[in-house]
Amino acid sequence: MKEILTALGRIFIRMPIGMLVVLKHLFKKPVTLDYPRKKKPMAPRFMGRQYLERYDDGSERCVSCGLCAAACPADCIYMEPAENEKGERYAKVFEINLLRCIFCGFCEEACPEEAIFMGHHYEFSADNRDSFIWTKEDMLVKHPRKDNPFKTLFRRVRKVYGVGEKKG
Amino acid sequence: MSAEKKTITLNMGPQHPSTHGVLRVKLELDGERVVTAEPIIGYLHTGIEKTMESMLYYKAIPATDRMDYLAPMSNNLGYCLAVEKLMDIEVPEKVKWARVCLVELTRVASHLVWLGTHSMDLGAMSMLIYAFRERELIIDLYEACGGQRMMTSYIRIGGLASDLPADFEKKVRNIIKTIREKMKDYDKLLTENPIFIMRTKGVAVISAEDAINYCLSGPMLRGCGVDYDVRKANPYSGYENFDFDVPLGKNGDAYDRYLIRMEEMRQSLKIAEQAIDGMPEGPYRAHVPGVVLPPKEDVLYKMESMIFHFKIITDGFKAPVGSVYQAIESPRGELGFYITGDGTNIPRRVRVRPPSFVNLGALPILTEGYLLADVVCAIGSIDIVLGEVDR
Ligand code: SF4
Ligand code: SF4
């Protein structure tokens, strides 16, 4: 007898209570977004496609030290260094294969010059494999640029070692 | 009619919505009764263990995320604790508390996915949407912390990847409050629902003895009343400071496992609350020159940090000769990492004890003699992640 009563209670009381929960949601505002038209703002630390930052005076930050390539677990960074007329190193070729990249952000963490950063751009589908190889031209940010919109930069101006440095 | 019994062989999967990945189950059916069920795995094999053996220690962290992709923080923690044990690193107090908070929220997120998919397998469609809605809050927290929504790699050797975000506490409190509120809804929907009870009660039963013999762990083991939780048995990362209960079942059926996981979510929220209440101040990384990366601010201004930064990134660190085993309680059970160092900067052997893989081994026992439709329930209640099964 007790079991029958419990079963009946479940069917006639518990189940309608559950249905009421679903019914309640009919009148709630949906939490989903109308995606391609509306976008969710990403968190400041979000890691999307990489970009290469510049100093305030417009010079490239990257010195082609290769630390980002060394830190990359997916081995997807390729670079060739060169020297400009002032004797400063820069990356002649800098390529990231986005098909291999796993967006772990190790390159950003490794870079000692604050050159490479993970941006907030996450929509980069294409219909051929070649366009996933991002070159330096694609990644280098435009100049002049007010500020890094996503991350804070610690150092703003290129530091020239040994020139105008205070002792002590 | 002839007296001899005819059985038929049926393939379930590899592409089946209820196998939660690419799992193939070879079923031997007598009418609608299952005679034997044989899980066939390997369709998702990625060679993660082998990959980790060819990488510097710190570089293998993103690989661990990709095993159990529903609980990335737990995997990070297991690996990092193992390497910290090997290298004898003591992490700051704050790191421990932050890790516990994140890992417990990971457990909630993982159980929410399980709840949604398991109940959808059994016909409760709206549950999936609700569970994923709440999980989104936790995924947002990951994004705010580590920058990635699923493959976080946030827990690193000797600390965290970066300091906790400024609004961490507010976010966690919001998550705890919202999920506690919503869990009442889940209870109303499922716990006393006659259809759900009929589909789960007395289905996929395993006895305590079998469970121990099959090496099960996690909710699968506690569902039959065996009190074993790595957090209590071998506390790690400061779990001994937290006050929580380990829920136990009685019958070892799918319904008990459901109740346990629901209770575990409540307990996890409780632990996360304690962690956020008592979060001490301090650095977010241990100071171990040459092994743990120095903070980025120091790298830019201090010569010594810069040198160590270059050295660790390019060359890693040399681990001593020896083996360690570190187990943690992942949402699915005991997740263990066995690492052998050989004096060089890459591990000689990394072996993962994946809870999903071991728990899946009990599938033949769980399904024998039940109906074909109960196989779906059994697979769902094991809570497997195929990425972890195949590694
Ligand atoms: S991006 Fe940074 S780490 Fe990579 S080569 Fe340039 S300076 Fe070095
Ligand atoms: S995000 Fe990770 S995988 Fe991608 S380029 Fe940077 S280091 Fe390599």
Side-chain angles (χ1 to χ4, degrees):
Chain A
M1 192 61 197
K2 197 161 161 263
E3 277 113 68
I4 298 175
L5 276 183
T6 340
L8 282 180
R10 277 185 186 143
I11 293 173
F12 290 109
I13 299 169
R14 297 298 183 167
M15 210 141 92
I17 289 177
M19 285 171 180
L20 218 62
V21 172
V22 181
L23 204 68
K24 211 170 62 191
H25 281 91
L26 269 184
F27 304 104
K28 281 196 180 154
K29 230 176 108 226
V31 289
T32 42
L33 276 183
D34 190 9
Y35 164 59
R37 265 149 283 177
K38 279 202 196 107
K39 279 180 194 155
K40 193 170 146 280
M42 306 316 279
R45 291 184 190 168
F46 179 74
M47 297 192 285
R49 188 171 62 68
Q50 294 88 347
Y51 59 91
L52 290 169
E53 199 41 84
R54 288 176 195 268
Y55 282 107
D56 282 359
D57 60 3
S59 52
E60 289 165 22
R61 273 173 180 257
C62 177
V63 293
S64 194
C65 65
L67 264 204
C68 50
C72 179
D75 288 340
C76 62
I77 305 180
Y78 173 76
M79 68 183 70
E80 279 176 22
E83 274 187 15
N84 65 8
E85 58 285 358
K86 279 190 274 175
E88 293 168 339
R89 268 167 70 100
Y90 70 102
K92 193 166 68 173
V93 181
F94 193 102
E95 283 175 359
I96 291 189
N97 185 348
L98 284 188
L99 289 174
R100 284 190 66 95
C101 178
I102 55 174
F103 299 95
C104 59
F106 278 26
C107 45
E108 173 185 317
E109 212 178 306
C111 182
E113 291 288 329
E114 294 182 283
I116 192 164
F117 278 100
M118 311 292 286
H120 283 196
H121 185 59
Y122 54 89
E123 295 157 315
F124 36 83
S125 51
D127 54 6
N128 63 321
R129 298 179 76 89
D130 288 348
S131 46
F132 283 102
I133 312 262
W134 284 75
T135 57
K136 198 172 139 190
E137 286 69 48
D138 299 322
M139 285 189 289
L140 210 55
V141 295
K142 290 208 174 44
H143 184 72
R145 171 165 143 129
K146 270 257 150 9
D147 206 351
N148 187 325
F150 311 129
K151 314 264 158 101
T152 33
L153 294 168
F154 292 107
R155 219 195 282 150
R156 323 279 320 217
V157 190
R158 172 165 287 212
K159 196 173 170 191
V160 184
Y161 286 97
V163 181
E165 267 193 352
K166 280 201 203 107
K167 290 261 161 66
Chain B
M1 230 180 101
S2 68
E4 78 182 282
K5 272 202 176 155
K6 279 245 174 79
T7 60
I8 59 161
T9 311
L10 189 75
N11 248 328
M12 191 169 158
Q15 301 291 340
H16 190 280
S18 79
T19 53
H20 301 206
V22 264
L23 167 72
R24 180 175 155 218
V25 187
K26 207 165 132 197
L27 294 163
E28 199 71 38
L29 294 177
D30 172 17
E32 226 185 318
R33 297 258 159 213
V34 179
V35 181
T36 55
E38 187 191 343
I40 297 168
I41 58 168
Y43 291 92
L44 215 57
H45 184 62
T46 39
I48 284 181
E49 281 177 10
K50 217 70 206 159
T51 312
M52 284 160 82
E53 282 162 27
S54 64
M55 278 180 174
L56 300 181
Y57 281 95
Y58 77 91
K59 270 202 216 178
I61 294 174
T64 60
D65 285 328
R66 280 149 181 87
M67 281 189 304
D68 181 352
Y69 39 78
L70 295 181
M73 293 272 189
S74 299
N75 293 12
N76 291 169
L77 179 67
Y79 178 72
C80 292
L81 282 178
V83 176
E84 279 159 17
K85 205 171 180 181
L86 184 70
M87 299 300 297
D88 213 3
I89 301 171
E90 184 62 36
V91 297
E93 270 311 293
K94 180 185 175 181
V95 174
K96 286 189 185 167
W97 288 65
R99 282 176 174 181
V100 167
C101 185
L102 287 164
V103 167
E104 288 307 319
L105 290 176
T106 302
R107 188 183 316 278
V108 176
S110 169
H111 280 357
L112 279 173
V113 176
W114 162 81
L115 180 65
T117 49
H118 181 50
S119 45
M120 195 187 69
D121 286 347
L122 302 178
M125 292 284 264
S126 7
M127 219 28 248
L128 179 82
I129 318 278
Y130 301 159
F132 270 72
R133 178 188 61 194
E134 268 71 78
R135 174 175 177 258
E136 183 67 22
L137 294 172
I138 299 173
I139 298 281
D140 273 348
L141 181 78
Y142 290 173
E143 189 189 319
C145 289
Q148 218 45 293
R149 293 171 65 79
M150 270 178 88
M151 307 299 165
T152 48
S153 307
Y154 184 55
I155 295 174
R156 299 285 171 82
I157 297 164
L160 303 171
S162 45
D163 209 349
L164 294 172
D167 56 351
F168 183 74
E169 183 179 343
K170 200 174 122 234
K171 277 211 163 95
V172 173
R173 286 201 196 281
N174 177 33
I175 290 171
I176 294 172
K177 197 172 128 250
T178 318
I179 297 186
R180 276 205 182 129
E181 192 63 33
K182 300 288 181 195
M183 282 199 64
K184 290 180 196 146
D185 274 0
Y186 307 162
D187 259 345
K188 281 185 204 158
L189 269 173
L190 292 178
T191 309
E192 290 281 344
N193 186 314
I195 303 170
F196 187 75
I197 291 178
M198 260 192 262
R199 288 296 305 272
T200 51
K201 216 168 201 156
V203 169
V205 181
I206 186 162
S207 68
E209 199 191 346
D210 278 340
I212 292 171
N213 287 346
Y214 272 80
C215 263
L216 304 189
S217 53
M220 285 292 286
L221 181 67
R222 293 193 287 272
C224 359
V226 183
D227 189 0
Y228 176 71
D229 186 315
V230 186
R231 289 175 294 173
K232 288 271 189 206
N234 292 311
Y236 54 89
S237 193
Y239 264 109
E240 58 276 10
N241 305 329
F242 293 91
D243 163 40
F244 62 99
D245 301 325
V246 178
L248 292 180
K250 278 198 291 287
N251 312 322
D253 58 1
Y255 187 66
D256 271 18
R257 294 196 274 275
Y258 158 78
L259 291 180
I260 283 179
R261 289 202 175 102
M262 293 295 272
E263 186 54 35
E264 264 187 13
M265 270 156 67
R266 291 196 189 92
Q267 295 295 335
S268 290
L269 291 176
K270 196 170 131 193
I271 300 174
E273 197 167 35
Q274 288 170 33
I276 199 85
D277 281 340
M279 181 91 64
E281 288 296 313
Y284 63 91
R285 255 184 222 168
H287 179 70
V288 188
V291 179
V292 180
L293 280 181
K296 192 70 185 268
E297 306 86 88
D298 287 359
V299 172
L300 295 171
Y301 290 110
K302 291 189 191 150
M303 200 53 182
E304 193 196 353
S305 302
M306 170 82 104
I307 291 169
F308 279 127
H309 182 82
F310 263 75
K311 207 171 149 336
I312 298 170
I313 296 274
T314 49
D315 232 8
F317 49 83
K318 289 208 169 42
V321 183
S323 307
V324 289
Y325 176 76
Q326 173 70 45
I328 67 159
E329 183 75 22
S330 98
R332 271 152 270 283
E334 178 180 340
L335 171 72
F337 279 86
Y338 177 85
I339 300 179
T340 304
D342 61 351
T344 62
N345 51 8
I346 56 171
R348 181 180 195 90
R349 178 82 174 100
V350 180
R351 155 83 186 145
V352 186
R353 184 219 183 264
S356 305
F357 171 71
V358 181
N359 289 355
L360 183 65
L363 187 68
I365 284 215
L366 288 174
T367 51
E368 201 184 309
Y370 293 102
L371 296 177
L372 176 58
D374 295 336
V375 177
V376 172
C377 175
I379 295 177
S381 81
I382 302 176
D383 187 19
I384 42 168
V385 166
L386 263 295
E388 192 182 48
V389 172
D390 293 340
R391 298 184 309 296

